[in-house]
Amino acid sequence: MIEQPTEARQEGLVELHDISKAFDGKPILKDINFSVDKNQFLTILGPSGCGKTTLLRMIGGFEEPDSGTIFLNGKCINGVSPHDRNINTVFQKYSLFPHMNVYDNIAFGLKLKKQSAKTINKKVKDALKLVSLSGFEKRSIEALSGGEQQRVAIARALVMHPQVLLLDEPLSALDRRLRLDMQRELKEIQVKAGITFIYVTHDQEEALTMSDKVIVLNNGAIQQIDTPDNIYNEPVNLFVADFVGTNNIIDGRFIEDHRVSFLGAEFECDDVGFVKNSRVHVIIRPEDFILGEGGKLSGHIRSAAFKGMVNELVVLVEDTELIVRTTTHYVAGTDVFLDVIPFNIHVLTEEKADEKV
Amino acid sequence: MVKPLKRILIGGLLLFLYLPIIVLALYSFNASEYLGRWEGFSLKWYGALFSNAEIAEALYYTLGVALLATIIATAIGVLASIGLFYSKAKIKKHVMTANYLPIVNPDLITGISLMMFFVFFRARFGFSTMLLAHIIFDVAYVIVVVMPKMMQIDFAQVEAAMDLGANQWVIIGRVILPQIKQGVLAGALLAFTMSIDDFVISFFTAGNRATNLSIAIYSMARRGIKPYVNALATLMFVGIILLIFFINRINDSKKDNENGRLIG
Ligand SMILES: Nc1ncnc2c1ncn2[C@@H]1O[C@H](COP(=O)(O)OP(=O)(O)O)[C@@H](O)[C@H]1O
Ligand SMILES: [Mg+2]
């Protein structure tokens, strides 16, 4: 299909159509299609090296796609320079200017726009307030903690009033506690500022907690575009199931609609439409097992570890190790029965997964 | 236990390095005309020095060449460094290697090859040929001093500036130059020092119309050392020591300078 770059579009604020990109002949991104709506928090989630940064750099204008079209407000922005895009970027390593103080960093773009000193002053103050750094104007960049530098970088981009803010793993350099705080803060900032965020991360927890929509990327190809809920509960293929959260992926056989067998037992399930008697993968979340005195599966507890609120067990059923989470206390070395309700059984085949993508 | 030994060694080394210069400086205050005989303190050789027309002219050549060469070489060196900053890592590496050539190459070879180069182009030897030669080796020193500072800049800063609406000139003026300015100043001072310090390359590229201080001292020394030569050498030594002191001050004032002192 040939794109009409000038054609006005009614759909998303940012749209990518059939974007492909290769470096030195090696394909990095293949046929990327997605759209982002106004005020949406979109996360691109994928392992390191899968092409996330490259994708973001193309939206920001630092890299040109080999083929395909990028639209902003329905207008093709291929070839448009970064600062003519009304899109700003928060870079992975913040990239603040170390020879300027906080105020001058944030005011940098506004000064280039030749805005009046008064306007700049007000905008910088507002931006600092938004990122909870009021009073930090005169601080030098080197005197700031990682989290504070991160917030200055966000303020410096937000002050330009972009329609879209691109963030490349902005929290990856922070320690866990700070990262959790910043996740919440970022989400608040996004809502308060009313700006579309396109956020890149390899951390599934981050993606699921902050986003309205998640794109799972692997090897330069989109695996699934969905709400965090669906990504978590309805992974369309093994990669997503494996990458997003800890999952048990068990070999099984699809007997007929609503019936699947695995680990030597037959279960009722909600899935339909697979080939009868075909080999399938069964996905079960660790917290979805029911443990007790009775159940279809009998297992032996290999190990038990207390992790915060839950016990994480490794249970051996036949020759398969299952990861099981429970709030009840169990000790290693004992036997236990397991069961699963139909709703929590998720059947997948690679073929079906490919169809859905 | 090791410490005293270390001190003695370092002290001995410094004494060995500086003793000849100290002797020279002492004799420049000697009232006697003869080396090796001390006849009391006098400033008369300094007086003789300042009334010597030959030396005044040599001083003009030395300072003139050093100043002009420093300004031009600093400009070229900084522009080249900015160019290298934007270049691919491979190109950067090769150019930096090539840049060491004028520094490690024996001055004699550089001097003779430049002389032949000027002869080939039928250049008129004098101030301008000497200036050109000095610019050539000064550029190498400027790049060597500026590049490490330049490499401390994360290239993503350039993209961040672009993202905020900066064009190339704004990026150079407001992002790159402010961060390398100490390197530029240190590079310029080093170039100036090297220019004043140079004898061999000047000797081969000045021809017989131009004479700078080092050439003047050399020719005077051949006619037999007059005590005012000691005075001149002492003054030059003090001048260069001061310059080096400033260069190191500039580098020390930057806390995170992991390259240590450049010279001295
Ligand atoms: N400028 C470039 N030249 C050559 N290869 C590149 C370049 N940028 C990225 N790559 C390659 O593209 C792949 C994806 O990189 P990137 O987009 O940075 O992945 P991610 O951000 O998901 O970790 C990597 O294999 C990387 O080596
Ligand atoms: Mg990346």
Side-chain angles (χ1 to χ4, degrees):
Chain A
M1 200 180 86
I2 296 161
E3 286 299 335
Q4 302 271 286
T6 48
E7 183 190 326
R9 304 183 155 266
Q10 288 297 303
E11 296 127 44
L13 178 63
V14 179
E15 288 198 20
L16 275 72
H17 285 239
D18 304 322
I19 296 293
S20 294
K21 176 81 181 173
F23 281 123
D24 313 318
K26 196 176 120 225
I28 300 296
L29 290 165
K30 301 154 211 161
D31 271 325
I32 303 290
N33 285 283
F34 67 82
S35 87
V36 194
D37 294 334
K38 230 175 156 185
N39 293 349
Q40 215 170 29
F41 195 124
L42 172 86
T43 298
I44 299 167
L45 171 68
S48 162
C50 72
K52 304 181 298 292
T53 296
T54 308
L55 187 55
L56 208 65
R57 287 171 62 81
M58 288 197 289
I59 302 172
F62 298 104
E63 213 77 73
E64 280 299 312
D66 295 340
S67 63
T69 322
I70 302 175
F71 296 94
L72 174 67
N73 288 321
K75 285 207 196 76
C76 168
I77 52 168
N78 289 33
V80 175
S81 80
H83 67 269
D84 292 331
R85 289 192 178 205
N86 209 5
I87 294 175
N88 284 101
T89 304
V90 176
F91 291 85
Q92 195 158 2
K93 287 181 287 172
Y94 319 151
S95 308
L96 296 171
F97 307 124
H99 57 293
M100 298 179 193
N101 63 18
V102 170
Y103 183 94
D104 289 334
N105 262 279
I106 300 175
F108 186 87
L110 298 175
K111 282 180 186 162
L112 291 176
K113 275 188 175 172
K114 301 256 180 318
Q115 300 195 335
S116 75
K118 220 172 133 190
T119 317
I120 294 177
N121 218 338
K122 184 176 174 341
K123 284 187 178 174
V124 173
K125 279 227 148 63
D126 289 349
L128 278 171
K129 201 170 153 208
L130 191 64
V131 297
S132 333
L133 285 181
S134 294
F136 276 60
E137 286 87 343
K138 292 266 153 30
R139 298 272 190 102
S140 89
I141 295 302
E142 276 146 14
L144 299 181
S145 72
E148 287 161 353
Q149 289 192 17
Q150 180 55 71
R151 280 183 276 188
V152 174
I154 292 167
R156 185 177 66 174
L158 281 178
V159 84
M160 303 301 287
H161 274 288
Q163 282 182 292
V164 184
L165 188 66
L166 309 177
L167 302 103
D168 191 354
E169 311 220 17
L171 307 184
S172 59
L174 307 180
D175 61 46
R176 191 178 153 73
R177 273 278 286 287
L178 195 55
R179 210 159 60 220
L180 296 181
D181 287 348
M182 282 299 296
Q183 284 175 15
R184 192 175 33 76
E185 262 183 63
L186 265 181
K187 182 72 197 172
E188 271 173 31
I189 290 170
Q190 187 249 337
V191 173
K192 266 197 263 176
I195 290 176
T196 305
F197 274 32
I198 302 181
Y199 188 97
V200 157
T201 183
H202 65 265
D203 181 329
Q204 48 97 10
E205 184 193 311
E206 216 167 274
L208 298 181
T209 50
M210 289 195 287
S211 326
D212 300 315
K213 183 154 108 180
V214 177
I215 295 180
V216 182
L217 198 66
N218 187 34
N219 276 330
I222 292 182
Q223 307 296 309
Q224 185 167 4
I225 305 181
D226 229 320
T227 59
D229 250 17
N230 282 345
I231 296 274
Y232 190 74
N233 291 317
E234 307 284 334
V236 296
N237 62 27
L238 283 182
F239 174 80
V240 179
D242 196 31
F243 190 71
V244 181
T246 325
N247 270 309
N248 293 291
I249 301 172
I250 308 156
D251 289 335
R253 197 163 50 84
F254 193 76
I255 299 168
E256 54 180 36
D257 284 359
H258 300 293
R259 290 204 76 72
V260 65
S261 83
F262 54 89
L263 299 174
E266 261 185 43
F267 290 83
E268 245 183 89
C269 65
D270 287 352
D271 301 82
V272 293
F274 293 90
V275 179
K276 279 186 186 174
N277 276 314
S278 63
R279 301 186 139 276
V280 291
H281 301 289
V282 177
I283 314 285
I284 302 171
R285 317 204 62 82
E287 59 271 27
D288 288 345
F289 288 102
I290 304 159
L291 289 88
E293 304 287 302
K296 289 202 178 105
L297 304 173
S298 91
H300 179 75
I301 299 176
R302 270 273 177 91
S303 68
F306 190 62
K307 291 201 170 167
M309 302 289 286
V310 295
N311 261 318
E312 192 169 290
L313 315 177
V314 176
V315 181
L316 193 67
V317 178
E318 304 216 306
D319 283 336
T320 307
E321 282 188 348
L322 300 176
I323 296 172
V324 178
R325 291 203 193 107
T326 170
T327 47
T328 327
H329 183 72
Y330 284 92
V331 283
T334 53
D335 290 336
V336 71
F337 286 96
L338 301 98
D339 218 332
V340 199
I341 62 166
F343 179 79
N344 286 331
I345 294 175
H346 193 60
V347 177
L348 271 183
T349 61
E350 283 303 338
E351 294 74 51
K352 180 152 182 203
D354 288 346
E355 256 167 52
K356 267 202 192 173
V357 170
Chain B
M1 274 149 267
V2 183
K3 248 189 178 165
L5 187 69
K6 209 160 117 188
R7 283 213 188 123
I8 290 167
L9 269 176
I10 292 175
L13 188 70
L14 284 177
L15 195 69
F16 179 70
L17 282 175
Y18 283 93
L19 195 61
I21 300 167
I22 294 169
V23 169
L24 181 126
L26 277 178
Y27 276 110
S28 73
F29 296 107
N30 189 357
S32 161
E33 196 170 332
Y34 302 103
L35 284 176
R37 194 190 319 156
W38 181 259
E39 285 180 5
F41 180 85
S42 156
L43 285 175
K44 69 176 176 190
W45 303 118
Y46 286 88
L49 184 66
F50 288 117
S51 53
N52 185 323
E54 199 184 341
I55 289 198
E57 195 190 304
L59 183 68
Y60 153 77
Y61 273 107
T62 290
L63 289 182
V65 166
L67 266 176
L68 279 176
T70 298
I71 292 167
I72 297 168
T74 303
I76 295 173
V78 168
L79 286 178
S81 301
I82 292 172
L84 284 176
F85 181 62
Y86 280 92
S87 305
K88 289 209 175 90
K90 211 169 154 186
I91 295 176
K92 211 176 296 181
K93 209 180 101 201
H94 290 320
V95 173
M96 283 310 286
T97 308
N99 185 61
Y100 275 107
L101 197 67
I103 295 174
V104 296
N105 204 25
D107 283 355
L108 193 64
I109 313 260
T110 307
I112 290 176
S113 54
L114 278 170
M115 179 184 78
M116 280 161 56
F117 175 80
F118 291 137
V119 167
F120 182 80
F121 284 100
R122 296 172 195 284
R124 225 177 90 100
F125 279 81
F127 186 88
S128 50
T129 46
M130 186 157 70
L131 176 64
L132 205 58
H134 279 229
I135 291 172
I136 286 169
F137 69 76
D138 278 351
V139 165
Y141 284 105
V142 172
I143 291 178
V144 159
V145 175
V146 170
M147 270 318 272
K149 280 270 178 302
M150 191 75 103
M151 296 321 295
Q152 287 175 5
I153 305 177
D154 179 3
F155 193 79
Q157 279 180 34
V158 171
E159 292 190 333
M162 235 156 82
D163 195 51
L164 297 168
N167 61 30
Q168 290 310 322
W169 295 112
V170 173
I171 291 172
I172 290 173
R174 294 201 202 163
V175 178
I176 296 177
L177 282 181
Q179 294 188 64
I180 60 166
K181 60 174 191 252
Q182 276 151 322
V184 175
L185 196 57
L189 280 177
L190 182 61
F192 190 72
T193 311
M194 288 302 160
S195 207
I196 288 187
D197 182 57
D198 177 70
F199 164 67
V200 178
I201 296 173
S202 302
F203 185 77
F204 283 101
T205 55
N208 42 23
R209 251 185 308 276
T211 303
N212 69 6
L213 279 180
S214 53
I215 298 175
I217 292 175
Y218 175 70
S219 52
M220 285 171 190
R222 283 210 309 187
R223 282 181 256 138
I225 304 249
K226 287 275 177 339
Y228 62 78
V229 174
N230 294 346
L232 179 56
T234 304
L235 285 179
M236 283 181 77
F237 175 73
V238 169
I240 284 174
I241 284 283
L242 283 177
L243 279 173
I244 291 172
F245 177 74
F246 281 125
I247 294 172
N248 282 332
R249 272 283 292 273
I250 290 166
N251 285 294
D252 286 348
S253 66
K254 186 101 177 147
K255 291 166 275 101
D256 60 349
N257 176 30
E258 64 256 47
N259 305 307
R261 289 165 173 247
L262 292 161
I263 51 172

